[in-house]
């Protein structure tokens, strides 16, 4: 039984944290969109920023907002004119080139809150996904606010899941170290 518990501590920690995220999602997901479930957004942040420092997690959340706004800029540029060459949208190509090129300069900035390229691309990815329910931030201010709210709320939830995973993993490791020390002392 001790071997089972030793091997199962971390998976059980993840299972409990994921279950708590599920319960929270069940309670609040529908507040954003009827029948909405955005647990996957929390999992995305949890996964991407799992082993990041607290500082990098904060930067990642801010970066996601910058990415959200960057995606809106790309969508806006794409909607300004329609010109296709061999079925390639020139406005889309222009938007992708300009905005992605621009955000890559953020990495070089000295501003703490602007240089999470990972966070920025998570925000862009989430924005273009429509958050799985077809939201379009250019459609209305309501959809803009809903998307931003979901990204922020579930981003924070995912980052908290990552934080508590590491926190409890460290607790499990310390317990294992004490157990080994006690066994060594008993053997003397």
């Amino acid at each position: 039984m001790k071997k089972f518990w030793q091997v199962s501590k971390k998976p059980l920690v993840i299972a409990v944290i994921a279950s708590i995220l599920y319960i929270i999602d069940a309670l609040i997901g529908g507040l954003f969109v009827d029948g909405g479930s955005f647990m996957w957004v929390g999992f995305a942040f949890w996964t991407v920023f799992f082993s990041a420092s607290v500082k990098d997690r904060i930067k990642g959340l801010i970066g996601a907002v910058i990415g959200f706004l960057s995606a809106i800029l790309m969508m806006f540029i794409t909607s300004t004119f329609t010109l296709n060459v061999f079925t390639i949208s020139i406005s889309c190509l222009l938007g992708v080139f300009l905005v992605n090129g621009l955000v890559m300069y953020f990495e070089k900035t000295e501003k703490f809150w602007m240089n999470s390229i990972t966070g920025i691309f998570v925000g862009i990815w989430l924005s273009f996904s429509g958050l799985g329910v077809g939201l379009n931030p250019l459609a209305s201010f309501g959809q803009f606010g809903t998307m931003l709210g979901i990204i922020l709320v579930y981003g924070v939830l995912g980052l908290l899941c990552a934080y508590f995973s590491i926190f409890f993993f460290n607790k499990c490791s310390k317990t294992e170290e004490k157990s080994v020390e006690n066994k060594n002392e008993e053997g003397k």
Side-chain angles (χ1 to χ4, degrees):
M1 185 67 175
K2 284 183 181 181
K3 182 70 172 171
F4 171 78
W5 179 242
Q6 188 177 25
V7 172
S8 300
K9 285 180 190 176
K10 290 181 181 179
L12 289 173
V13 164
I14 295 296
V16 168
I17 293 172
S19 297
I20 292 169
L21 180 60
Y22 172 77
I23 291 167
I24 292 169
D25 178 57
L27 295 172
I28 68 170
L31 299 175
F32 292 103
V33 175
D34 278 342
S37 173
F38 304 99
M39 184 174 171
W40 70 273
V41 175
F43 272 121
F45 276 91
W46 185 358
T47 302
V48 170
F49 296 102
F50 177 76
S51 61
S53 67
V54 172
K55 179 180 173 183
D56 285 337
R57 289 184 188 127
I58 293 167
K59 287 169 46 173
L61 184 63
I62 295 167
V65 173
I66 293 169
F68 171 71
L69 297 172
S70 299
I72 291 171
L73 180 58
M74 279 188 261
M75 291 175 195
F76 178 75
I77 291 170
T78 300
S79 69
T80 57
F81 65 93
T82 56
L83 173 62
N84 294 330
V85 176
F86 301 114
T87 70
I88 298 170
S89 168
I90 300 303
S91 62
C92 186
L93 180 62
L94 181 64
V96 167
F97 177 82
L98 290 175
V99 176
N100 281 287
L102 178 66
V103 298
M104 289 307 295
Y105 284 107
F106 285 27
E107 181 180 40
K108 302 296 183 198
T109 184
E110 298 296 319
K111 301 284 185 196
F112 160 79
W113 52 273
M114 287 182 75
N115 63 3
S116 176
I117 299 302
T118 304
I120 290 171
F121 281 103
V122 166
I124 291 171
W125 160 50
L126 292 172
S127 301
F128 280 111
S129 77
L131 297 177
V133 292
L135 291 172
N136 178 353
L138 293 181
S140 70
F141 187 72
Q143 287 194 34
F144 172 94
T146 299
M147 283 188 82
L148 183 57
I150 291 167
I151 289 170
L152 287 172
V153 168
Y154 282 88
V156 167
L157 289 171
L159 295 175
L160 287 171
C161 289
Y163 173 81
F164 284 114
S165 297
I166 299 298
F167 176 81
F168 287 116
F169 284 3
N170 289 339
K171 288 277 188 194
C172 290
S173 295
K174 288 178 183 174
T175 304
E176 289 172 12
E177 288 171 11
K178 285 183 182 179
S179 176
V180 169
E181 287 175 10
N182 289 341
K183 284 183 181 180
N184 289 340
E185 288 179 14
E186 289 174 5
K188 291 183 180 179

